[in-house]
Amino acid sequence: MTSHQEQRFLCETEEEIMFYDTDCGGVVHNLAYLRMVEKCRTRLAASLGFELREMGETGLFPVVVRTEADYRKPARLADVLVVRGWLAEWGKARFWCEFEVYRGEELLLTARQALALVQMPEGKVQRLKPLENEGPV
Amino acid sequence: MTSHQEQRFLCETEEEIMFYDTDCGGVVHNLAYLRMVEKCRTRLAASLGFELREMGETGLFPVVVRTEADYRKPARLADVLVVRGWLAEWGKARFWCEFEVYRGEELLLTARQALALVQMPEGKVQRLKPLENEGPV
Amino acid sequence: MTSHQEQRFLCETEEEIMFYDTDCGGVVHNLAYLRMVEKCRTRLAASLGFELREMGETGLFPVVVRTEADYRKPARLADVLVVRGWLAEWGKARFWCEFEVYRGEELLLTARQALALVQMPEGKVQRLKPLENEGPV
Amino acid sequence: MTSHQEQRFLCETEEEIMFYDTDCGGVVHNLAYLRMVEKCRTRLAASLGFELREMGETGLFPVVVRTEADYRKPARLADVLVVRGWLAEWGKARFWCEFEVYRGEELLLTARQALALVQMPEGKVQRLKPLENEGPV
């Protein structure tokens, strides 16, 4: 994980755990956390210039090419979680985002995702332009 | 509900209840049944001539315009359910499908959905052609 | 639908349409709206005294026994929707909630759900106590 | 990835891509593949002695502690995918499962998951017993 001082384009989203997030083990299902990460990443991508509305129109999407997630502690119904996401690396063909999910001070999940820029519907991978705005540090 | 003798284009799908179908109440979540109904309806629509692959290419989709669902008894982890779907009514602008979800002999859910034929991405509703094949009665 | 003057315990939630809400028809999938309605209903239930955290502990849940939904107009990626939910009827064994989903002034979906109070894991339906607080009108 | 000769307890599941698996980019959403992997893993776990029905009763669950997924090629509406899962490693505290998702001969996704055995609702991690049955090689 990137040290907190280097978290660029930091984005935070908040989630209240609903029934549909949980399973009969009594805790949040592993897929539900990734849906929450997805919302945070979409907001993060917007701060990098990938606006949802434009994507829908241009067909140029940041596409997840790798996901890593470590499940540390379970969340439960009614918990309020904060998802923190930031840009960790910006390369020529892909960029990496990192995420931490907290309940208060407790770290429940860490995750990393690599994304590539893809022109749909052809599915052609585009080169990334250099990042101009270095963003808030 | 249509009587069983009149169930045309009958389609059955089977589902084994997974963790992601359940919630922390210990039973299947109300949305999960509708995802199962959706799979049955897609197969039913194929038997009416709406093939998934063609839809993806022509952009002509049967779109749900109304859903009714009655939840009668809960299903649980590892249950094997059978979803029965059939055509109940074929009109000029919409058609109705009906569904029953069973665990063995037990009826757990009944549902009805009205669908219209829509040309995407414009979203224009198309007239339904008369059904030629009357299907198995 | 109940007239707006009679909307008791009115609750509003906001949703930004993410990729996972849409399907390859280019619009929001019919199940995704119901997940949004679910969040609004959970907040509405809290205002009626059914707190999520208590439910998790007592095992006494408001359970959906009937859903009706009318899909009027499609939502798209990046749309910001408002879900309005209110109590429409409070009976002895079940209560009805009604919902409207708006994009700005446009009404996209209306829905109604009947709920019963169920003691889990036995699944026994409980009688509803009279509502004392008449709520904001 | 483990070589194919060493794939123990091999399990295969089949999935037909439905609308709810896709998003408005025109391809299968990254979370949907993980739901498919989940079904394969549940069947795989059953072949390792973790039967779904018993889990629901004993509260002893194999819980995902790490997920890695590499998205190689996109799937589309109506594709029929095969998910292959097998046991890659059986340790003292966790075991690893590996997965490949194919459309015909084309490899679309590879994934690995580490699981620990957890007693719910306390959330206490249990030691794994040695695997007796070496399974089909």
Side-chain angles (χ1 to χ4, degrees):
Chain A
M1 287 283 145
T2 312
S3 74
H4 279 222
Q5 303 93 286
E6 298 169 20
Q7 291 175 359
R8 295 184 300 166
F9 301 94
L10 185 65
C11 182
E12 288 193 1
T13 49
E14 198 180 279
E15 304 275 353
E16 184 185 9
I17 301 302
M18 296 282 146
F19 274 101
Y20 53 71
D21 294 316
T22 65
D23 68 26
C24 63
V27 295
V28 172
H29 191 270
N30 70 82
L31 293 175
Y33 295 103
L34 297 181
R35 198 196 68 235
M36 298 173 202
V37 161
E38 188 93 0
K39 184 187 284 184
C40 184
R41 197 194 61 243
T42 302
R43 298 267 169 82
L44 175 59
S47 75
L48 292 165
F50 302 113
E51 290 283 356
L52 262 187
R53 195 168 298 279
E54 287 173 24
M55 290 181 221
E57 287 161 10
T58 62
L60 196 62
F61 299 112
V63 167
V64 176
V65 292
R66 180 170 170 86
T67 291
E68 300 170 15
D70 288 287
Y71 297 88
R72 292 154 185 266
K73 288 183 185 178
R76 290 168 195 278
L77 188 67
D79 283 352
V80 175
L81 307 186
V82 172
V83 185
R84 294 171 58 94
W86 62 90
L87 179 65
E89 198 185 318
W90 184 269
K92 286 178 185 166
R94 51 173 68 187
F95 60 99
W96 284 86
C97 300
E98 293 181 355
F99 305 93
E100 291 172 346
V101 180
Y102 286 92
R103 177 180 51 208
E105 299 293 307
E106 271 183 299
L107 179 59
L108 306 187
L109 176 130
T110 54
R112 303 176 70 224
Q113 290 189 314
L115 291 104
L117 195 59
V118 176
Q119 179 66 55
M120 297 302 291
E122 312 86 294
K124 206 178 162 214
V125 177
Q126 308 289 306
R127 238 172 187 286
L128 292 173
K129 291 179 195 158
L131 257 193
E132 292 183 10
N133 179 355
E134 281 303 298
V137 179
Chain B
M1 286 282 144
T2 311
S3 74
H4 278 223
Q5 302 92 289
E6 297 168 20
Q7 292 174 357
R8 294 185 298 165
F9 301 95
L10 185 65
C11 182
E12 288 192 3
T13 49
E14 198 181 279
E15 304 275 353
E16 184 185 9
I17 301 303
M18 296 281 146
F19 275 101
Y20 53 71
D21 294 316
T22 64
D23 68 28
C24 64
V27 296
V28 172
H29 191 272
N30 71 81
L31 294 175
Y33 295 102
L34 296 181
R35 198 195 70 234
M36 299 173 201
V37 161
E38 188 93 359
K39 183 187 283 185
C40 184
R41 198 194 61 243
T42 302
R43 298 267 169 82
L44 175 59
S47 75
L48 292 166
F50 303 112
E51 289 283 356
L52 262 187
R53 195 167 299 279
E54 286 173 25
M55 290 181 222
E57 288 162 9
T58 62
L60 196 61
F61 299 113
V63 167
V64 176
V65 291
R66 181 170 169 85
T67 291
E68 299 170 16
D70 287 286
Y71 298 88
R72 292 155 185 264
K73 288 185 185 176
R76 290 168 195 277
L77 188 67
D79 282 351
V80 175
L81 306 186
V82 171
V83 185
R84 294 170 58 93
W86 62 91
L87 179 65
E89 197 185 318
W90 184 269
K92 285 177 185 168
R94 52 175 64 187
F95 60 99
W96 283 87
C97 302
E98 293 181 356
F99 305 92
E100 292 172 346
V101 180
Y102 286 91
R103 177 179 50 207
E105 299 292 309
E106 271 183 298
L107 179 58
L108 306 187
L109 176 129
T110 55
R112 304 175 70 224
Q113 289 188 314
L115 291 104
L117 194 59
V118 176
Q119 179 67 55
M120 297 303 291
E122 311 87 292
K124 204 178 162 213
V125 178
Q126 309 288 306
R127 241 173 183 285
L128 292 173
K129 291 179 195 158
L131 257 193
E132 292 183 10
N133 179 355
E134 280 302 300
V137 178
Chain C
M1 287 281 145
T2 311
S3 75
H4 279 224
Q5 303 93 287
E6 297 169 18
Q7 292 175 358
R8 294 185 299 164
F9 301 94
L10 184 66
C11 182
E12 288 192 2
T13 50
E14 198 180 279
E15 305 275 352
E16 184 186 9
I17 301 303
M18 296 281 146
F19 276 101
Y20 52 71
D21 294 316
T22 64
D23 68 28
C24 64
V27 295
V28 172
H29 191 271
N30 70 82
L31 293 175
Y33 295 102
L34 296 181
R35 198 196 69 234
M36 298 173 201
V37 161
E38 188 92 0
K39 183 187 284 185
C40 184
R41 198 194 61 243
T42 301
R43 299 267 169 83
L44 175 59
S47 75
L48 292 165
F50 302 112
E51 289 284 356
L52 261 188
R53 195 167 299 278
E54 286 173 24
M55 289 181 221
E57 287 162 8
T58 62
L60 196 61
F61 299 112
V63 168
V64 176
V65 292
R66 180 169 170 87
T67 290
E68 300 170 15
D70 287 286
Y71 298 88
R72 291 154 186 265
K73 288 185 186 177
R76 291 170 193 276
L77 188 67
D79 283 352
V80 175
L81 306 186
V82 172
V83 186
R84 294 171 57 95
W86 62 90
L87 179 65
E89 196 185 321
W90 184 268
K92 285 177 185 167
R94 52 174 66 186
F95 60 98
W96 285 88
C97 300
E98 293 181 356
F99 304 92
E100 291 172 346
V101 180
Y102 286 92
R103 178 181 50 207
E105 300 292 309
E106 270 185 299
L107 179 59
L108 306 187
L109 175 128
T110 54
R112 301 176 71 225
Q113 290 188 313
L115 292 103
L117 194 59
V118 175
Q119 179 65 55
M120 296 304 291
E122 310 87 296
K124 206 179 161 212
V125 177
Q126 309 287 305
R127 238 171 186 285
L128 292 173
K129 290 179 195 158
L131 257 193
E132 292 183 10
N133 180 354
E134 280 303 299
V137 179
Chain D
M1 287 282 145
T2 311
S3 74
H4 279 223
Q5 304 91 288
E6 297 168 20
Q7 291 174 357
R8 294 184 298 165
F9 301 94
L10 184 64
C11 182
E12 288 192 2
T13 49
E14 199 180 279
E15 305 275 353
E16 184 186 8
I17 301 304
M18 296 281 146
F19 276 101
Y20 53 72
D21 295 316
T22 65
D23 67 27
C24 63
V27 296
V28 172
H29 191 271
N30 70 82
L31 294 175
Y33 295 102
L34 296 181
R35 199 195 69 233
M36 298 174 201
V37 161
E38 188 92 0
K39 184 187 282 185
C40 184
R41 197 194 62 243
T42 302
R43 299 267 168 83
L44 176 59
S47 75
L48 292 164
F50 302 112
E51 289 283 356
L52 261 188
R53 195 167 298 278
E54 287 174 23
M55 289 182 222
E57 287 163 7
T58 63
L60 196 61
F61 299 112
V63 167
V64 176
V65 291
R66 181 170 169 86
T67 291
E68 299 170 16
D70 288 286
Y71 297 88
R72 292 155 184 265
K73 288 185 186 176
R76 290 169 195 276
L77 188 68
D79 283 351
V80 175
L81 307 186
V82 171
V83 185
R84 294 171 58 94
W86 62 90
L87 180 65
E89 197 185 319
W90 183 268
K92 285 177 183 167
R94 52 173 66 186
F95 60 98
W96 284 88
C97 300
E98 292 181 356
F99 305 92
E100 291 172 347
V101 180
Y102 287 92
R103 178 180 50 207
E105 300 291 309
E106 271 184 298
L107 179 59
L108 306 187
L109 175 129
T110 55
R112 304 175 69 224
Q113 290 187 315
L115 292 104
L117 194 59
V118 176
Q119 179 66 54
M120 296 304 291
E122 311 88 293
K124 207 181 157 209
V125 178
Q126 309 288 305
R127 239 174 185 284
L128 292 173
K129 290 180 195 157
L131 258 193
E132 291 184 8
N133 179 355
E134 282 303 300
V137 179

